Each structure stands twice: as structure tokens, then as C-alpha cells.
Amino acid sequence: MTTHTPGQRGGLMAIYSVMLLLMFHFALVAYINSSYLTQFMESGSVGVIYFIGSALTVFIFLFISYILRKVGNYRITLLLLACNFLAVSGMAFANSLAVALPLFLIHLTVLPLLLFNLDVFLEALIGNNEGTTGSKRGLLLALTSFIGAISPLLSGFIIDNSSFTYAYLLSALTLFPIAMILVFHFRHFQDPKYHEIKLLKAMRSFWKRHNIRMVFLSHFLLQVFFCFMVIYTPLYLATEINLSWSAIGIIIFAGQLAYAFFEYPIGYYADNHVGEKEMMAAGFLILAISSAFLAAIATTAIIIWIVAMFVTRVGASLVEVTTESYFFKHTKSSDAQIISFFRITRPLAYVIGALLGSLSLLYLPFNFVFITLGFLMILGIISALLIPDTK
């Protein structure tokens, strides 16, 4: 089947716009979700909820190619957007665990699936012109990261001046323009051929591809870092350091700016100069040191936390662009099952990360969570160095 897409320029602009809006939707609530849940449960139980939701996402990903063949990427994307809207808007008014918990699980499950759907659109638009993959994905990551920096800043001020309700409502409303853009640009999208995932065969084939296996591990460890930052950092700043949500928003905003500043130049540099391998290893080295250093910070001085968060994101930006660039240089839009394995890293990392975080809180002081994270990032240095370079 021939894949029909809109003009590349218009289609890329549409996908970029959707990515920006989806990041705004997600980042508005991502850093407050764990604190939102503590309205209904103990802090130590929050990781368990992330574990359950992420495990459910992993299960769905195993059947994603079958679902795409039956429903189509365009239709399933709109359906997921509708489910997410109902979940997030419902969370805005939930007043009990019985209501909030299932809605949150839906929201947590849907986002990785939406990112996968958008990847299928994007890969179809990029086609076989992989020489600029790093630049295009670096630009996309830089733009979404800038929005991701502004969003928690805004939600912090909203919560301090009103409540969680208005942050979740604003997040839900953002899904409307996303749906409109997709309807306008992709309603005639014809899906590429999706190969059915035969789980054991797919895992065996995936494991035999050394380069994909190693970049999968590297991307998985990066997603573990994101898991710790999203779940435990806001909780730590709010409950242990006793900062206001406005202050937390400023800290997260400043840290996220590292992505906006560095990700596009990193993608360009990976395409034209040094390969991904060296920059990936350097990024993990920065992550290992800076993550462990967070455990030693006990001050309420915002500037100290801003610098610390910014440095961690410099390392993360190096790893994010290089893992994305390397992986998508070795795949195409018809590789739905391989892409699904790559996208499974996020929910799988939340399964492992949330479990490790919960265990750390059970046996160690809260700040030791970041030392655990630092040790995990050392594994990333090893996995990066084992990846065959593209240069």
C-alpha cells in the first residue's frame, strides 16, 4: 500500500504543531501529578500507581501493530485524544481516590501511545531522507522542550493562586486544537503496511540487532532518569525542601531550557561532525554526576536548584537527541513493531523506575533516591560505548 501524506513541508509543520501542543498538555500536569495523587494517598504509594499504569501501557504496546492494522493510525490517534480529554478533565474535579485513580491510569497509559502514533506520521513524512534525521528530530525536540519549560512554570503559578483543578482543565482543553490539526491534515492518511508482532520472534530479532539493542538500553536508562525527575523531584522539593509551587515551577522551567538551547545544535552536530556514540556517553557521564549531587542539596535557595537542574538537563539533552537520531536512522515508517519496542522504553522505564523509587523510599532517606539514580546512569555510559557509531 502506498502511504499518502500531505505535502512534506505542510505535514511537518502540522506534526510539529501537534507535538508542541501535546507537550504543553502533558507538561502542564506531568510535574504535579505525583503531588495531585498525594491528596488521596501516601507519598510512598505513588510509585506503585505509576508502576501499574506503565505496566498496562507496556502490555498494550505488544499489540499495537495489530490495532493499527484494524483501526488505522489516524482513527486510533483521535480515539486516544478523546479518552485522554475525558480522563484529564475528570481529574480536575475528582474528589476521591476511587474517581481519581482510574482517570489517572488512563491518562498515564495514553500518552506513550499518542507519541508512537505521531512517530508513524512523522516517519512517513521524513521517508528515506535519513541524512537530516538528527537535525529534524533535534529541532522537534528543542521546540517541544521550550514548551515543556514554560508549562510547569505556568502550572506552578496556577496552583499557588487557585488549585489543581484549573491546571488540569487547561491541560484538557489543549487537546481540542490537536484534534483539529490532525483532522485537517491527516484525515486521508493511508497507513503503511504494519507487520504483525509475533512476540517471541520479534524479541529474538530485536535482540540480535546489536546496535538497536544497545540504543534501546541507552534510551531506557534516559527514560528512567525522566521517571525519577517527574515523580520524585517535585515531591522532594515540595515536601522535603518546602518550596512553593511557584518556586518549583521556576526551577523546572530553568532546567528545561537546557533542552531548548542544546538539542537542535546537538542534532545538527551529530549529522555533520561527531557521531552519536561519543556525545551519548558524555551525556550519561553528566547525568551520573549531577543526579547524585542532587542528594547533597538541602538549601531553599532557588538559584542553587536552578543550576543543578540545568546541568542534569544538559546531560539529558545529549542523550535524548543522540538516542532518537541513532534509532530513527536505522528504521522507517513501516517498522511499526520495532518503533513500538523503542517507544515501549518510556512505560517500561516507569515500571522499573517507579518500583526502584518506591523501594528506595521504603528503606532509605528521600534524598538517597537521587544517589540511586546516579548509579543507574553509570550503566548508560557503558551501553553508549557499546553502540556501533554511524561515523
Side-chain angles (χ1 to χ4, degrees), residues 103-135:
L103 294 176
F104 175 73
L105 289 174
I106 293 172
H107 170 62
L108 185 64
T109 302
V110 162
L111 182 70
L113 299 173
L114 282 172
L115 290 173
F116 169 78
N117 295 138
L118 296 181
D119 268 333
V120 173
F121 288 132
L122 184 58
E123 280 295 290
L125 290 166
I126 292 176
N128 294 322
N129 182 20
E130 300 291 353
T132 57
T133 297
S135 299

PDB file of all heavy atoms in Angstrom, residues 103-135:
ATOM      1  N   LEU A 103      -8.948   7.445  36.366  1.00  0.00           N
ATOM      2  CA  LEU A 103      -8.738   8.515  35.389  1.00  0.00           C
ATOM      3  C   LEU A 103      -7.254   8.773  35.171  1.00  0.00           C
ATOM      4  O   LEU A 103      -6.795   8.955  34.035  1.00  0.00           O
ATOM      5  CB  LEU A 103      -9.441   9.790  35.857  1.00  0.00           C
ATOM      6  CG  LEU A 103     -10.974   9.738  35.910  1.00  0.00           C
ATOM      7  CD1 LEU A 103     -11.526  11.041  36.490  1.00  0.00           C
ATOM      8  CD2 LEU A 103     -11.558   9.479  34.528  1.00  0.00           C
ATOM      9  N   PHE A 104      -6.492   8.785  36.253  1.00  0.00           N
ATOM     10  CA  PHE A 104      -5.052   8.987  36.133  1.00  0.00           C
ATOM     11  C   PHE A 104      -4.394   7.844  35.374  1.00  0.00           C
ATOM     12  O   PHE A 104      -3.485   8.061  34.561  1.00  0.00           O
ATOM     13  CB  PHE A 104      -4.414   9.140  37.511  1.00  0.00           C
ATOM     14  CG  PHE A 104      -2.914   9.239  37.456  1.00  0.00           C
ATOM     15  CD1 PHE A 104      -2.301  10.396  36.983  1.00  0.00           C
ATOM     16  CD2 PHE A 104      -2.118   8.170  37.833  1.00  0.00           C
ATOM     17  CE1 PHE A 104      -0.920  10.492  36.903  1.00  0.00           C
ATOM     18  CE2 PHE A 104      -0.738   8.257  37.772  1.00  0.00           C
ATOM     19  CZ  PHE A 104      -0.132   9.417  37.300  1.00  0.00           C
ATOM     20  N   LEU A 105      -4.827   6.620  35.618  1.00  0.00           N
ATOM     21  CA  LEU A 105      -4.267   5.473  34.914  1.00  0.00           C
ATOM     22  C   LEU A 105      -4.522   5.562  33.411  1.00  0.00           C
ATOM     23  O   LEU A 105      -3.653   5.212  32.596  1.00  0.00           O
ATOM     24  CB  LEU A 105      -4.836   4.172  35.475  1.00  0.00           C
ATOM     25  CG  LEU A 105      -4.357   3.791  36.884  1.00  0.00           C
ATOM     26  CD1 LEU A 105      -5.108   2.560  37.389  1.00  0.00           C
ATOM     27  CD2 LEU A 105      -2.852   3.552  36.903  1.00  0.00           C
ATOM     28  N   ILE A 106      -5.698   6.038  33.018  1.00  0.00           N
ATOM     29  CA  ILE A 106      -5.993   6.244  31.596  1.00  0.00           C
ATOM     30  C   ILE A 106      -5.049   7.286  31.009  1.00  0.00           C
ATOM     31  O   ILE A 106      -4.449   7.082  29.946  1.00  0.00           O
ATOM     32  CB  ILE A 106      -7.461   6.676  31.390  1.00  0.00           C
ATOM     33  CG1 ILE A 106      -8.403   5.534  31.757  1.00  0.00           C
ATOM     34  CG2 ILE A 106      -7.700   7.120  29.944  1.00  0.00           C
ATOM     35  CD1 ILE A 106      -9.867   5.926  31.776  1.00  0.00           C
ATOM     36  N   HIS A 107      -4.909   8.401  31.705  1.00  0.00           N
ATOM     37  CA  HIS A 107      -4.025   9.472  31.244  1.00  0.00           C
ATOM     38  C   HIS A 107      -2.584   8.974  31.121  1.00  0.00           C
ATOM     39  O   HIS A 107      -1.900   9.241  30.128  1.00  0.00           O
ATOM     40  CB  HIS A 107      -4.096  10.645  32.219  1.00  0.00           C
ATOM     41  CG  HIS A 107      -3.069  11.705  31.987  1.00  0.00           C
ATOM     42  ND1 HIS A 107      -3.000  12.446  30.828  1.00  0.00           N
ATOM     43  CD2 HIS A 107      -2.040  12.147  32.782  1.00  0.00           C
ATOM     44  CE1 HIS A 107      -1.990  13.299  30.908  1.00  0.00           C
ATOM     45  NE2 HIS A 107      -1.392  13.127  32.076  1.00  0.00           N
ATOM     46  N   LEU A 108      -2.115   8.249  32.099  1.00  0.00           N
ATOM     47  CA  LEU A 108      -0.737   7.752  32.101  1.00  0.00           C
ATOM     48  C   LEU A 108      -0.506   6.758  30.975  1.00  0.00           C
ATOM     49  O   LEU A 108       0.575   6.731  30.366  1.00  0.00           O
ATOM     50  CB  LEU A 108      -0.436   7.092  33.453  1.00  0.00           C
ATOM     51  CG  LEU A 108       0.998   6.614  33.691  1.00  0.00           C
ATOM     52  CD1 LEU A 108       1.955   7.794  33.706  1.00  0.00           C
ATOM     53  CD2 LEU A 108       1.083   5.840  35.003  1.00  0.00           C
ATOM     54  N   THR A 109      -1.510   5.967  30.663  1.00  0.00           N
ATOM     55  CA  THR A 109      -1.388   4.948  29.630  1.00  0.00           C
ATOM     56  C   THR A 109      -1.418   5.529  28.226  1.00  0.00           C
ATOM     57  O   THR A 109      -0.704   5.074  27.327  1.00  0.00           O
ATOM     58  CB  THR A 109      -2.532   3.913  29.772  1.00  0.00           C
ATOM     59  OG1 THR A 109      -2.476   3.329  31.077  1.00  0.00           O
ATOM     60  CG2 THR A 109      -2.429   2.824  28.724  1.00  0.00           C
ATOM     61  N   VAL A 110      -2.221   6.556  28.017  1.00  0.00           N
ATOM     62  CA  VAL A 110      -2.485   7.078  26.679  1.00  0.00           C
ATOM     63  C   VAL A 110      -1.300   7.836  26.085  1.00  0.00           C
ATOM     64  O   VAL A 110      -1.016   7.713  24.885  1.00  0.00           O
ATOM     65  CB  VAL A 110      -3.739   7.977  26.711  1.00  0.00           C
ATOM     66  CG1 VAL A 110      -3.807   8.890  25.493  1.00  0.00           C
ATOM     67  CG2 VAL A 110      -4.988   7.121  26.794  1.00  0.00           C
ATOM     68  N   LEU A 111      -0.587   8.613  26.876  1.00  0.00           N
ATOM     69  CA  LEU A 111       0.439   9.498  26.317  1.00  0.00           C
ATOM     70  C   LEU A 111       1.517   8.766  25.520  1.00  0.00           C
ATOM     71  O   LEU A 111       1.816   9.166  24.399  1.00  0.00           O
ATOM     72  CB  LEU A 111       1.080  10.347  27.417  1.00  0.00           C
ATOM     73  CG  LEU A 111       2.119  11.330  26.871  1.00  0.00           C
ATOM     74  CD1 LEU A 111       1.452  12.437  26.063  1.00  0.00           C
ATOM     75  CD2 LEU A 111       2.964  11.918  27.986  1.00  0.00           C
ATOM     76  N   PRO A 112       2.132   7.686  26.018  1.00  0.00           N
ATOM     77  CA  PRO A 112       3.139   6.991  25.200  1.00  0.00           C
ATOM     78  C   PRO A 112       2.567   6.458  23.892  1.00  0.00           C
ATOM     79  O   PRO A 112       3.258   6.422  22.863  1.00  0.00           O
ATOM     80  CB  PRO A 112       3.612   5.846  26.103  1.00  0.00           C
ATOM     81  CG  PRO A 112       3.271   6.282  27.487  1.00  0.00           C
ATOM     82  CD  PRO A 112       2.011   7.076  27.354  1.00  0.00           C
ATOM     83  N   LEU A 113       1.290   6.050  23.919  1.00  0.00           N
ATOM     84  CA  LEU A 113       0.650   5.568  22.700  1.00  0.00           C
ATOM     85  C   LEU A 113       0.491   6.698  21.689  1.00  0.00           C
ATOM     86  O   LEU A 113       0.708   6.515  20.480  1.00  0.00           O
ATOM     87  CB  LEU A 113      -0.710   4.955  23.031  1.00  0.00           C
ATOM     88  CG  LEU A 113      -0.683   3.752  23.981  1.00  0.00           C
ATOM     89  CD1 LEU A 113      -2.107   3.337  24.358  1.00  0.00           C
ATOM     90  CD2 LEU A 113       0.066   2.587  23.363  1.00  0.00           C
ATOM     91  N   LEU A 114       0.117   7.878  22.164  1.00  0.00           N
ATOM     92  CA  LEU A 114      -0.005   9.037  21.273  1.00  0.00           C
ATOM     93  C   LEU A 114       1.342   9.412  20.653  1.00  0.00           C
ATOM     94  O   LEU A 114       1.417   9.740  19.465  1.00  0.00           O
ATOM     95  CB  LEU A 114      -0.575  10.231  22.045  1.00  0.00           C
ATOM     96  CG  LEU A 114      -2.083  10.230  22.294  1.00  0.00           C
ATOM     97  CD1 LEU A 114      -2.466  11.365  23.237  1.00  0.00           C
ATOM     98  CD2 LEU A 114      -2.849  10.352  20.984  1.00  0.00           C
ATOM     99  N   LEU A 115       2.390   9.363  21.448  1.00  0.00           N
ATOM    100  CA  LEU A 115       3.716   9.664  20.917  1.00  0.00           C
ATOM    101  C   LEU A 115       4.105   8.670  19.828  1.00  0.00           C
ATOM    102  O   LEU A 115       4.712   9.041  18.814  1.00  0.00           O
ATOM    103  CB  LEU A 115       4.754   9.650  22.041  1.00  0.00           C
ATOM    104  CG  LEU A 115       4.665  10.798  23.049  1.00  0.00           C
ATOM    105  CD1 LEU A 115       5.634  10.571  24.194  1.00  0.00           C
ATOM    106  CD2 LEU A 115       4.932  12.134  22.375  1.00  0.00           C
ATOM    107  N   PHE A 116       3.754   7.415  20.016  1.00  0.00           N
ATOM    108  CA  PHE A 116       4.022   6.409  18.992  1.00  0.00           C
ATOM    109  C   PHE A 116       3.246   6.717  17.719  1.00  0.00           C
ATOM    110  O   PHE A 116       3.783   6.647  16.601  1.00  0.00           O
ATOM    111  CB  PHE A 116       3.654   5.021  19.514  1.00  0.00           C
ATOM    112  CG  PHE A 116       3.647   3.970  18.442  1.00  0.00           C
ATOM    113  CD1 PHE A 116       4.832   3.433  17.984  1.00  0.00           C
ATOM    114  CD2 PHE A 116       2.456   3.537  17.888  1.00  0.00           C
ATOM    115  CE1 PHE A 116       4.834   2.479  16.977  1.00  0.00           C
ATOM    116  CE2 PHE A 116       2.444   2.592  16.886  1.00  0.00           C
ATOM    117  CZ  PHE A 116       3.640   2.047  16.429  1.00  0.00           C
ATOM    118  N   ASN A 117       1.951   7.052  17.848  1.00  0.00           N
ATOM    119  CA  ASN A 117       1.138   7.385  16.684  1.00  0.00           C
ATOM    120  C   ASN A 117       1.720   8.556  15.901  1.00  0.00           C
ATOM    121  O   ASN A 117       1.760   8.535  14.659  1.00  0.00           O
ATOM    122  CB  ASN A 117      -0.292   7.740  17.114  1.00  0.00           C
ATOM    123  CG  ASN A 117      -1.031   6.567  17.741  1.00  0.00           C
ATOM    124  OD1 ASN A 117      -1.729   6.729  18.742  1.00  0.00           O
ATOM    125  ND2 ASN A 117      -0.874   5.382  17.171  1.00  0.00           N
ATOM    126  N   LEU A 118       2.179   9.571  16.626  1.00  0.00           N
ATOM    127  CA  LEU A 118       2.770  10.724  15.952  1.00  0.00           C
ATOM    128  C   LEU A 118       4.090  10.359  15.281  1.00  0.00           C
ATOM    129  O   LEU A 118       4.439  10.923  14.238  1.00  0.00           O
ATOM    130  CB  LEU A 118       2.964  11.866  16.948  1.00  0.00           C
ATOM    131  CG  LEU A 118       1.680  12.443  17.546  1.00  0.00           C
ATOM    132  CD1 LEU A 118       1.998  13.582  18.514  1.00  0.00           C
ATOM    133  CD2 LEU A 118       0.726  12.933  16.463  1.00  0.00           C
ATOM    134  N   ASP A 119       4.821   9.427  15.846  1.00  0.00           N
ATOM    135  CA  ASP A 119       6.050   8.952  15.217  1.00  0.00           C
ATOM    136  C   ASP A 119       5.764   8.304  13.863  1.00  0.00           C
ATOM    137  O   ASP A 119       6.539   8.449  12.921  1.00  0.00           O
ATOM    138  CB  ASP A 119       6.765   7.955  16.119  1.00  0.00           C
ATOM    139  CG  ASP A 119       7.775   8.622  17.032  1.00  0.00           C
ATOM    140  OD1 ASP A 119       8.293   9.695  16.661  1.00  0.00           O
ATOM    141  OD2 ASP A 119       8.040   8.098  18.121  1.00  0.00           O
ATOM    142  N   VAL A 120       4.661   7.560  13.769  1.00  0.00           N
ATOM    143  CA  VAL A 120       4.300   6.930  12.498  1.00  0.00           C
ATOM    144  C   VAL A 120       4.039   8.000  11.441  1.00  0.00           C
ATOM    145  O   VAL A 120       4.509   7.901  10.305  1.00  0.00           O
ATOM    146  CB  VAL A 120       3.072   6.014  12.670  1.00  0.00           C
ATOM    147  CG1 VAL A 120       2.593   5.489  11.316  1.00  0.00           C
ATOM    148  CG2 VAL A 120       3.396   4.847  13.594  1.00  0.00           C
ATOM    149  N   PHE A 121       3.282   9.048  11.811  1.00  0.00           N
ATOM    150  CA  PHE A 121       3.063  10.163  10.888  1.00  0.00           C
ATOM    151  C   PHE A 121       4.387  10.803  10.473  1.00  0.00           C
ATOM    152  O   PHE A 121       4.631  11.068   9.298  1.00  0.00           O
ATOM    153  CB  PHE A 121       2.176  11.237  11.540  1.00  0.00           C
ATOM    154  CG  PHE A 121       0.729  10.860  11.699  1.00  0.00           C
ATOM    155  CD1 PHE A 121       0.078  11.063  12.909  1.00  0.00           C
ATOM    156  CD2 PHE A 121       0.005  10.324  10.652  1.00  0.00           C
ATOM    157  CE1 PHE A 121      -1.254  10.724  13.072  1.00  0.00           C
ATOM    158  CE2 PHE A 121      -1.332   9.972  10.791  1.00  0.00           C
ATOM    159  CZ  PHE A 121      -1.961  10.180  12.004  1.00  0.00           C
ATOM    160  N   LEU A 122       5.241  11.063  11.450  1.00  0.00           N
ATOM    161  CA  LEU A 122       6.492  11.773  11.198  1.00  0.00           C
ATOM    162  C   LEU A 122       7.433  10.953  10.321  1.00  0.00           C
ATOM    163  O   LEU A 122       8.056  11.488   9.391  1.00  0.00           O
ATOM    164  CB  LEU A 122       7.174  12.123  12.523  1.00  0.00           C
ATOM    165  CG  LEU A 122       8.455  12.966  12.439  1.00  0.00           C
ATOM    166  CD1 LEU A 122       8.198  14.281  11.728  1.00  0.00           C
ATOM    167  CD2 LEU A 122       9.008  13.217  13.841  1.00  0.00           C
ATOM    168  N   GLU A 123       7.539   9.659  10.586  1.00  0.00           N
ATOM    169  CA  GLU A 123       8.413   8.810   9.778  1.00  0.00           C
ATOM    170  C   GLU A 123       7.937   8.733   8.330  1.00  0.00           C
ATOM    171  O   GLU A 123       8.745   8.680   7.405  1.00  0.00           O
ATOM    172  CB  GLU A 123       8.488   7.412  10.388  1.00  0.00           C
ATOM    173  CG  GLU A 123       9.446   7.299  11.557  1.00  0.00           C
ATOM    174  CD  GLU A 123      10.877   7.546  11.129  1.00  0.00           C
ATOM    175  OE1 GLU A 123      11.461   6.714  10.425  1.00  0.00           O
ATOM    176  OE2 GLU A 123      11.412   8.603  11.498  1.00  0.00           O
ATOM    177  N   ALA A 124       6.616   8.733   8.134  1.00  0.00           N
ATOM    178  CA  ALA A 124       6.083   8.727   6.776  1.00  0.00           C
ATOM    179  C   ALA A 124       6.433  10.009   6.035  1.00  0.00           C
ATOM    180  O   ALA A 124       6.687  10.010   4.824  1.00  0.00           O
ATOM    181  CB  ALA A 124       4.561   8.540   6.808  1.00  0.00           C
ATOM    182  N   LEU A 125       6.465  11.120   6.753  1.00  0.00           N
ATOM    183  CA  LEU A 125       6.809  12.405   6.147  1.00  0.00           C
ATOM    184  C   LEU A 125       8.298  12.511   5.845  1.00  0.00           C
ATOM    185  O   LEU A 125       8.698  13.017   4.796  1.00  0.00           O
ATOM    186  CB  LEU A 125       6.388  13.558   7.063  1.00  0.00           C
ATOM    187  CG  LEU A 125       4.882  13.775   7.201  1.00  0.00           C
ATOM    188  CD1 LEU A 125       4.585  14.696   8.362  1.00  0.00           C
ATOM    189  CD2 LEU A 125       4.311  14.350   5.909  1.00  0.00           C
ATOM    190  N   ILE A 126       9.134  12.028   6.756  1.00  0.00           N
ATOM    191  CA  ILE A 126      10.577  12.091   6.543  1.00  0.00           C
ATOM    192  C   ILE A 126      11.006  11.134   5.445  1.00  0.00           C
ATOM    193  O   ILE A 126      11.888  11.433   4.637  1.00  0.00           O
ATOM    194  CB  ILE A 126      11.332  11.764   7.859  1.00  0.00           C
ATOM    195  CG1 ILE A 126      11.101  12.884   8.883  1.00  0.00           C
ATOM    196  CG2 ILE A 126      12.831  11.600   7.612  1.00  0.00           C
ATOM    197  CD1 ILE A 126      11.722  12.614  10.241  1.00  0.00           C
ATOM    198  N   GLY A 127      10.340   9.953   5.366  1.00  0.00           N
ATOM    199  CA  GLY A 127      10.649   8.989   4.327  1.00  0.00           C
ATOM    200  C   GLY A 127      12.048   8.430   4.458  1.00  0.00           C
ATOM    201  O   GLY A 127      12.529   8.152   5.548  1.00  0.00           O
ATOM    202  N   ASN A 128      12.707   8.303   3.326  1.00  0.00           N
ATOM    203  CA  ASN A 128      14.045   7.710   3.294  1.00  0.00           C
ATOM    204  C   ASN A 128      15.158   8.737   3.363  1.00  0.00           C
ATOM    205  O   ASN A 128      16.334   8.390   3.241  1.00  0.00           O
ATOM    206  CB  ASN A 128      14.213   6.869   2.025  1.00  0.00           C
ATOM    207  CG  ASN A 128      13.297   5.664   2.008  1.00  0.00           C
ATOM    208  OD1 ASN A 128      13.083   5.042   3.035  1.00  0.00           O
ATOM    209  ND2 ASN A 128      12.741   5.357   0.843  1.00  0.00           N
ATOM    210  N   ASN A 129      14.809   9.997   3.537  1.00  0.00           N
ATOM    211  CA  ASN A 129      15.841  11.035   3.612  1.00  0.00           C
ATOM    212  C   ASN A 129      16.378  11.108   5.034  1.00  0.00           C
ATOM    213  O   ASN A 129      16.063  12.007   5.800  1.00  0.00           O
ATOM    214  CB  ASN A 129      15.258  12.391   3.194  1.00  0.00           C
ATOM    215  CG  ASN A 129      16.306  13.497   3.207  1.00  0.00           C
ATOM    216  OD1 ASN A 129      17.511  13.237   3.160  1.00  0.00           O
ATOM    217  ND2 ASN A 129      15.834  14.732   3.259  1.00  0.00           N
ATOM    218  N   GLU A 130      17.211  10.101   5.396  1.00  0.00           N
ATOM    219  CA  GLU A 130      17.673   9.976   6.778  1.00  0.00           C
ATOM    220  C   GLU A 130      18.904  10.816   7.086  1.00  0.00           C
ATOM    221  O   GLU A 130      19.349  10.875   8.225  1.00  0.00           O
ATOM    222  CB  GLU A 130      17.985   8.494   7.088  1.00  0.00           C
ATOM    223  CG  GLU A 130      16.782   7.570   6.927  1.00  0.00           C
ATOM    224  CD  GLU A 130      15.711   7.799   7.975  1.00  0.00           C
ATOM    225  OE1 GLU A 130      15.946   8.582   8.905  1.00  0.00           O
ATOM    226  OE2 GLU A 130      14.637   7.192   7.858  1.00  0.00           O
ATOM    227  N   GLY A 131      19.466  11.458   6.076  1.00  0.00           N
ATOM    228  CA  GLY A 131      20.663  12.256   6.311  1.00  0.00           C
ATOM    229  C   GLY A 131      20.424  13.450   7.197  1.00  0.00           C
ATOM    230  O   GLY A 131      21.360  14.020   7.772  1.00  0.00           O
ATOM    231  N   THR A 132      19.162  13.873   7.306  1.00  0.00           N
ATOM    232  CA  THR A 132      18.838  15.024   8.154  1.00  0.00           C
ATOM    233  C   THR A 132      17.986  14.606   9.354  1.00  0.00           C
ATOM    234  O   THR A 132      17.361  15.448   9.984  1.00  0.00           O
ATOM    235  CB  THR A 132      18.078  16.095   7.340  1.00  0.00           C
ATOM    236  OG1 THR A 132      16.894  15.512   6.780  1.00  0.00           O
ATOM    237  CG2 THR A 132      18.949  16.632   6.220  1.00  0.00           C
ATOM    238  N   THR A 133      17.949  13.311   9.653  1.00  0.00           N
ATOM    239  CA  THR A 133      17.132  12.835  10.765  1.00  0.00           C
ATOM    240  C   THR A 133      17.510  13.513  12.075  1.00  0.00           C
ATOM    241  O   THR A 133      16.659  13.951  12.845  1.00  0.00           O
ATOM    242  CB  THR A 133      17.269  11.303  10.914  1.00  0.00           C
ATOM    243  OG1 THR A 133      16.755  10.687   9.729  1.00  0.00           O
ATOM    244  CG2 THR A 133      16.474  10.809  12.114  1.00  0.00           C
ATOM    245  N   GLY A 134      18.808  13.599  12.335  1.00  0.00           N
ATOM    246  CA  GLY A 134      19.250  14.217  13.581  1.00  0.00           C
ATOM    247  C   GLY A 134      18.816  15.665  13.672  1.00  0.00           C
ATOM    248  O   GLY A 134      18.340  16.129  14.713  1.00  0.00           O
ATOM    249  N   SER A 135      18.962  16.414  12.565  1.00  0.00           N
ATOM    250  CA  SER A 135      18.580  17.825  12.565  1.00  0.00           C
ATOM    251  C   SER A 135      17.087  18.003  12.772  1.00  0.00           C
ATOM    252  O   SER A 135      16.646  18.844  13.554  1.00  0.00           O
ATOM    253  CB  SER A 135      19.000  18.475  11.237  1.00  0.00           C
ATOM    254  OG  SER A 135      20.392  18.408  11.072  1.00  0.00           O
TER     255      SER A 135
END
